[in-house]
Amino acid sequence: MTASTPPPPLAPRIDFARVRERAVAQGLLASDASPTEAQLIECLFQPGLSTAGKLTQISGRGIGMDVVRSQIAALGGRVDVLATPGKGTRFVLTM
């Protein structure tokens, strides 16, 4: 991307309540925890975490965000998540 190239559109917003619910169900957070949005975003990168309500052809299966992050890191990069309340989410892969 160059300075004149507009950024890609935002992805749908992260359902932080759903992430918290799934993280508690999988033992990643205590049921009485009050995590920040940054902590909930970090939960997205934990092995096995899925917010999919059911398995479909495109959700709830395949590799998780933990694998994406580790593979990007192995190449010397990083994954940043920029969540804008009420607007959407941007996953930025930096190499």
Side-chain angles (χ1 to χ4, degrees):
M1 192 162 52
T2 67
S4 63
T5 304
L10 295 174
R13 69 176 183 81
I14 294 172
D15 183 346
F16 288 109
R18 180 73 174 151
V19 173
R20 184 188 181 288
E21 175 186 301
R22 298 302 304 146
V24 168
Q26 293 183 7
L28 299 172
L29 293 173
S31 61
D32 61 347
S34 298
T36 65
E37 286 185 0
Q39 290 168 320
L40 290 170
I41 287 171
E42 189 59 34
C43 287
L44 295 174
F45 293 96
Q46 297 304 306
L49 186 97
S50 175
T51 59
K54 63 180 182 173
L55 296 180
T56 68
Q57 291 288 57
I58 60 171
S59 66
R61 59 182 77 234
I63 66 166
M65 292 300 292
D66 59 310
V67 175
V68 172
R69 178 188 264 175
S70 67
Q71 292 299 304
I72 296 290
L75 295 170
R78 71 177 192 273
V79 179
D80 295 308
V81 182
L82 310 171
T84 305
K87 296 213 178 211
T89 305
R90 182 168 287 133
F91 288 83
V92 180
L93 308 178
T94 304
M95 300 302 290

